[in-house]
Amino acid sequence: MNTTNLDAIPRDRLPALLQAMPKAELHIHIEGSLEPELIFALAKRNGVSLPYPSVEALRAAYAFTDLQSFLDIYYAGASVLLKEEDFFDMAMAYFQRAKADNVVHAELFFDPQTHTDRGVPFATVIDGLVRACETAQRELGISALLIMCFLRHLSEEAAFETLEQALPHRDKFVGVGLDSGERGNPPEKFARVFARCRELGLHLVAHAGEEGPAAYISTALDVLKVERIDHGVRCVEDPALVKRLAAERVPLTVCPLSNVKLCVYGTMADHNLATLLADGLCVTVNSDDPAYFGGYMNQNFLETFAALPQLGPREAHQLAANSFEASFVDEARKQAWRAELDRVFAAV
Ligand code: ADE
Ligand code: ZN
């Protein structure tokens, strides 16, 4: 229970607080953490040729007009990942950044089909990631869980095949998600495979209401029976849905820098995060694909709070508390992080 008077904290303390507060990241595509420098280093190590002459030329191509324009470059970047060591190095680079931002817990999405369709074995992908998660816990004190995503532009049959490949590794990931191009690929396309994952006791999440309509959020909840919605910002187009999300405290893993980079909003000042929070939704802040969108967790917090005057210390505390509430860990660990969060705010 927080006993600090959050409204008495001066606004000029915000940047330091946002930096220092412990937080969980629940929406990070690990392939989206591949920085251009690492893409080039792995391309050299693996003898892969890239369609860009230099790091600068690649970075210059990061001018996206929508989700698909990003995904085309994102899948090209992932083509340098071939060996277990590559997946390990990629994830460790992310964990170092997460540590610097006081992320104490991360739930990492990975896209096996992006790799298995190029001939990389499922085991290579997941074993590299699991080894990085174990190393992050041991050496950095960050806890991490893996969530396997199905690519929604591919068929449900392909998702079932991926699930088959994943089953021998069932103990290495805690849930499944749904990502890639949203428009024209509604949640119900994956009804059967999500039902099967539910039977297997996996946690369920899905991207919905990023570029797709609010109706996709409703069907993700009602048909797929997901526990969290990734993005979900277009829920505001359906006021009854907003009320439902608040009443049921369905977490929305919002990614502010991503939304601006992919032109969901014109500028950060247009973002609806503060409104959603004021409406009582369990909103969290996340980085999505930080290497492509201009920053990791704290950059997302800093830019969002700088652009939205409704956000102050109370909202900072709420967003961090929401990230723990929405995570897939047991209550005791959530309580411990919550207590640490309250200690940081009490020490201001
Ligand atoms: N894959 C990686 N980032 C994504 C995003 N923002 N939306 C959908 N699929 C993704
Ligand atoms: Zn995403």
Side-chain angles (χ1 to χ4, degrees), residues 108-124:
L108 273 50
F109 293 140
F110 68 108
D111 288 339
Q113 288 158 300
T114 300
H115 314 299
T116 53
D117 286 0
R118 296 181 290 114
V120 178
F122 187 96
T124 299

Side-chain angles (χ1 to χ4, degrees), residues 279-297:
D279 284 345
L281 273 71
C282 184
V283 175
T284 66
V285 168
N286 307 272
S287 70
D288 206 7
D289 301 283
Y292 292 90
F293 298 152
Y296 289 75
M297 279 294 267

Side-chain angles (χ1 to χ4, degrees), residues 106-298:
E107 297 184 3
L108 273 50
F109 293 140
F110 68 108
D111 288 339
Q113 288 158 300
T114 300
H115 314 299
T116 53
D117 286 0
R118 296 181 290 114
V120 178
F122 187 96
T124 299
V125 179
I126 200 156
D127 288 347
L129 296 178
V130 166
R131 192 156 61 84
C133 292
E134 290 167 356
T135 307
Q137 178 70 75
R138 198 173 56 246
E139 295 183 2
L140 303 173
I142 297 177
S143 72
L145 298 172
L146 294 174
I147 297 176
M148 173 176 82
C149 284
F150 300 120
L151 298 181
R152 69 200 303 159
H153 68 273
L154 301 179
S155 67
E156 188 181 45
E157 193 189 352
F160 266 117
E161 283 165 19
T162 300
L163 181 59
E164 274 306 308
Q165 294 169 30
L167 283 182
H169 308 272
R170 167 68 188 84
D171 57 326
K172 299 176 187 168
F173 60 102
V174 298
V176 296
L178 190 61
D179 66 1
S180 192
E182 188 181 5
R183 284 202 196 108
N185 294 302
E188 50 272 31
K189 179 175 164 187
F190 296 90
R192 281 158 302 208
V193 75
F194 267 67
R196 178 73 190 118
C197 290
R198 195 158 175 250
E199 282 170 7
L200 290 165
L202 288 158
H203 285 292
L204 308 177
V205 300
H207 283 54
E210 176 187 18
E211 276 194 346
Y216 284 15
I217 300 173
S218 300
T219 48
L221 293 171
D222 295 332
V223 180
L224 302 188
K225 306 204 181 301
V226 300
E227 298 155 77
R228 296 196 303 238
I229 297 288
D230 297 311
H231 294 292
V233 290
R234 285 190 60 188
C235 67
V236 289
E237 292 163 25
D238 179 351
L241 174 62
V242 172
K243 283 209 179 75
R244 174 189 180 182
L245 294 171
E248 296 178 11
R249 277 199 76 68
V250 176
L252 299 189
T253 63
V254 174
C255 308
L257 281 173
S258 164
N259 292 153
V260 174
K261 271 282 181 184
L262 299 187
C263 307
V264 176
Y265 296 101
T267 70
M268 193 63 93
D270 302 323
H271 203 288
N272 66 6
L273 182 140
T275 312
L276 296 174
L277 204 56
D279 284 345
L281 273 71
C282 184
V283 175
T284 66
V285 168
N286 307 272
S287 70
D288 206 7
D289 301 283
Y292 292 90
F293 298 152
Y296 289 75
M297 279 294 267
N298 285 355

